[in-house]
Amino acid sequence: MRPKLPIQCPGCENPLSVSQLSCSVCSTQVSGTYSLPMLLQLTEDEQNFIIQFLLSSGSLKEMAAQMGNSYPTVRNKLDDLIQKVQNLKEKYQS
């Protein structure tokens, strides 16, 4: 199993930032302080929901059937995710 990319500080739960990137081929390293891309700031479950949404061509009815949930449950989850992305977008643009 591959390790998961942490998005929150385990000590204070604030968002983490990227401070170094490296090339596995030539070992070049780039250092600085960079924000994680907006979609990487979502939890793994939220990212999987978005992937499932795309794979079902945006059909919440199909997603509900595949997930074994009711349509309103899936709709509410989408609405919560939309609100979270809007909040991240506002922070990201500030």
Side-chain angles (χ1 to χ4, degrees):
M1 182 161 82
R2 293 179 11 186
K4 296 178 185 173
L5 178 68
I7 58 173
Q8 289 183 318
C9 173
C12 68
E13 298 183 2
N14 281 302
L16 292 173
S17 61
V18 177
S19 62
Q20 185 171 337
L21 298 169
S22 60
C23 176
S24 61
V25 175
C26 71
S27 299
T28 297
Q29 294 183 343
V30 179
S31 296
T33 302
Y34 307 98
S35 299
L36 287 172
M38 188 185 333
L39 293 177
L40 288 180
Q41 294 178 45
L42 301 175
T43 66
E44 185 175 3
D45 285 342
E46 292 165 337
Q47 291 175 25
N48 288 333
F49 184 89
I50 291 171
I51 290 168
Q52 188 62 42
F53 182 77
L54 293 173
L55 293 175
S56 66
S57 299
S59 171
L60 297 181
K61 184 177 178 181
E62 184 179 324
M63 286 182 67
Q66 290 175 356
M67 296 168 72
N69 290 325
S70 68
Y71 176 90
T73 298
V74 175
R75 179 73 234 187
N76 287 336
K77 187 167 185 168
L78 178 62
D79 289 341
D80 291 344
L81 189 52
I82 289 169
Q83 184 61 52
K84 184 172 183 179
V85 169
Q86 287 174 335
N87 292 341
L88 286 171
K89 184 178 177 187
E90 290 173 10
K91 286 173 62 174
Y92 199 71
Q93 292 176 340
S94 299

